[in-house]
Amino acid sequence: MKKALITGIRGQDGAYLAKLLLDLGYQVYGADRRSSDSSYWRLEYLKIKDKIKLVYMDLLEYSNIIDVIKEIKPDEVYNLAAQSFVQVSFNQPLLTSEVNALGVLRLLEALKLYKPDTKFYQASTSEMFGIAKEVPQNENTPFNPVSPYAVSKVFAHYITVNYRLAYNMFNCCGILFNHESPLRGLEFVTKKIVNTAVKIKYNLAEKLLIGNIYAKRDWGYAPEYVYGMYLMLNHDKPDDYVLATNETHTVKEFIDKTFEYLGMPLKWEEDNDKIRAYSQGKLLVESSLEFYRPSEVPILKGDYTKAKKILNWEPTTKFDKLIEIMINEEFNIIKLINV
Ligand code: NDP
Ligand code: GDP
């Protein structure tokens, strides 16, 4: 039985990847950092909590990582742990770098010294393209990061590639474009929009406060992206791949579709830097400076040709379907976790 260690097991991707690997017959170890929040709601939602062996591991603690690697001797490590929210990285750039950049180096050093034949997946991100040099972006597009989050991920990406080159380790970086699902964190824009719109529909919230509605993202469906991670580590050669849908949409389009789906079509008004949207005369969406970023990634659109050709990976859930899935599950999730 293959042994996989997943860091970030409590996150969106950790939960979906654990489910996939369990279904494929793996023994799954989940690296869990000590936290006062005892909720495993994503693992419970997928009904896999009892099938995962949880081990305490924090990417900030080198000796802890060494102990876990020596004990489990994993065949595959999927490093999904991160301070993953761009906006917070502007307030906590040092913590973000400690976890997202040096945390990866700690893991790689531990593997190099104690289990160098382990296959290693690093969660790279389309945010590394930043103010992108071209559209769409592929594996050869230069990085131009514009947030502490993205800068930390560029370090992690290059150090993972370097350890592959220097020490012949089986390391892969998945340059994943935004991927969403009912299990997405509430701070991310898609989930925030869906959650608030559903609450407005049921009189549990009054309006949605939002930042830059003109940013464009390439949004895919998370369960399909974790399958791509597995394919990378199970190909005969380690390499780096873009996973994306090759479609791009504005935040505004996401809001429009969501509210329309829920029977609250919006009419937009813009004056003096304030943006508002109404449905049947009622104010439901309003811009708020709090959610704008000091520097912004204007457009992401990924070219996944390489993943399609070499891994036979292709996304099937696109924009409209993704929104439909998220809305349809949201009421159940609100009941489950009470947010
Ligand atoms: P989440 O934010 O949902 O999950 C991140 C996980 O990392 C959480 O479980 C968190 O633990 C854990 N973590 C944070 N700090 C530490 C630490 N110091 N030690 C150990 N664990 C820690 O992210 P996603 O599942 O959405 O994303 C997975 C990975 O993919 C991340 O690295 C992200 O940056 C990257 N990525 C995500 C994209 C997306 O669209 N989702 C796009 C491209 C890349 P806790 O639960 O205790 O807070
Ligand atoms: P990111 O692409 O990893 O930063 O994912 P997010 O979901 O956090 O943000 C996607 C885009 O939505 C970014 O361009 C944000 O500036 C924009 N955005 C606009 N309003 C909001 C908001 O209220 N919350 C978040 N998280 N993003 C917002």
Side-chain angles (χ1 to χ4, degrees):
M1 190 188 259
K2 271 204 221 172
K3 288 184 286 186
L5 173 66
I6 301 174
T7 73
I9 191 72
R10 287 204 215 190
Q12 168 189 260
D13 290 7
Y16 282 121
L17 180 66
K19 166 107 178 72
L20 173 76
L21 297 182
L22 286 166
D23 289 347
L24 290 167
Y26 279 68
Q27 172 71 68
V28 175
Y29 293 83
D32 191 16
R33 63 175 168 162
R34 172 56 212 122
S35 155
S36 54
D37 170 8
S38 59
S39 168
Y40 294 95
W41 69 272
R42 293 186 175 94
L43 303 179
E44 277 153 10
Y45 175 86
L46 296 179
K47 300 186 172 49
I48 54 171
K49 164 81 172 47
D50 298 337
K51 298 180 184 148
I52 296 168
K53 290 192 187 229
L54 291 173
V55 286
Y56 277 129
M57 193 177 104
D58 197 310
L59 287 191
L60 298 176
E61 199 68 56
Y62 184 50
S63 61
N64 177 204
I65 297 174
I66 290 176
D67 288 344
V68 170
I69 297 295
K70 279 164 91 175
E71 187 193 322
I72 298 175
K73 301 188 184 59
D75 299 294
E76 297 172 7
V77 171
Y78 294 85
N79 181 37
L80 310 183
Q83 191 302 94
S84 65
F85 189 29
V86 171
Q87 185 133 14
V88 161
S89 77
F90 288 103
N91 309 112
Q92 301 183 344
L94 293 169
L95 175 73
T96 301
S97 306
E98 275 292 349
V99 178
N100 298 6
L102 291 181
V104 181
L105 182 53
R106 289 184 195 99
L107 252 177
L108 287 168
E109 270 294 292
L111 288 170
K112 183 188 89 183
L113 294 173
Y114 299 104
K115 189 71 174 62
D117 62 341
T118 298
K119 294 181 173 182
F120 180 77
Y121 175 86
Q122 169 55 22
S124 290
T125 165
S126 53
E127 288 291 316
M128 301 187 308
F129 297 120
I131 300 179
K133 303 279 183 190
E134 59 185 356
V135 180
Q137 299 90 34
N138 62 35
E139 293 79 3
N140 299 317
T141 304
F143 298 141
N144 188 22
V146 295
S147 66
Y149 169 77
V151 172
S152 71
K153 285 283 189 174
V154 170
F155 174 92
H157 181 91
Y158 281 134
I159 202 70
T160 304
V161 171
N162 179 250
Y163 273 49
R164 178 169 75 215
L165 187 71
Y167 307 116
N168 207 21
M169 290 167 70
F170 195 110
N171 293 349
C172 299
C173 298
I175 308 174
L176 271 50
F177 283 61
N178 299 51
H179 44 282
E180 319 295 314
S181 74
L183 302 190
R184 187 64 147 139
L186 199 53
E187 63 275 39
F188 297 93
V189 77
T190 57
K191 176 75 171 181
K192 175 177 164 179
I193 294 166
V194 169
N195 178 270
T196 313
V198 168
K199 282 182 177 161
I200 292 172
K201 175 82 187 165
Y202 292 100
N203 293 320
L204 298 169
E206 280 189 2
K207 66 180 172 189
L208 170 71
L209 293 178
I210 200 81
N212 176 12
I213 57 169
Y214 295 112
K216 290 177 144 190
R217 288 292 180 275
D218 177 331
W219 283 295
Y221 184 43
E224 296 175 357
Y225 286 51
V226 301
Y227 179 56
M229 299 174 186
Y230 159 78
L231 290 178
M232 286 178 216
L233 290 203
N234 285 277
H235 189 66
D236 21 320
K237 274 203 343 235
D239 207 345
D240 310 317
Y241 297 90
V242 160
L243 301 185
T245 68
N246 198 26
E247 278 185 19
T248 191
H249 298 274
T250 59
V251 172
K252 184 168 185 264
E253 282 176 80
F254 198 105
I255 297 173
D256 269 329
K257 281 265 176 225
T258 304
F259 279 76
E260 194 182 298
Y261 188 90
L262 287 164
M264 304 180 287
L266 294 172
K267 280 206 171 64
W268 294 83
E269 277 180 14
E270 280 193 43
D271 62 83
N272 301 331
D273 296 342
K274 204 66 174 163
I275 300 171
R276 295 186 179 88
Y278 299 83
S279 187
Q280 292 171 335
K282 203 172 164 208
L283 176 64
L284 297 187
V285 184
E286 194 170 27
S287 62
S288 165
L289 284 179
E290 184 188 344
F291 299 107
Y292 284 80
R293 293 169 183 183
S295 48
E296 171 69 293
V297 173
I299 172 165
L300 292 173
K301 181 181 179 197
D303 171 2
Y304 63 90
T305 309
K306 181 176 171 185
K308 185 175 177 191
K309 190 164 161 231
I310 298 176
L311 304 174
N312 202 19
W313 179 88
E314 196 158 17
T316 57
T317 307
K318 300 289 179 68
F319 191 64
D320 287 13
K321 183 75 191 154
L322 173 67
I323 294 175
E324 199 181 311
I325 293 172
M326 289 180 74
I327 293 175
N328 289 340
E329 274 312 300
E330 193 56 25
F331 202 66
N332 290 332
I333 291 193
I334 291 172
K335 277 196 287 186
L336 179 72
I337 56 167
N338 205 17
V339 287

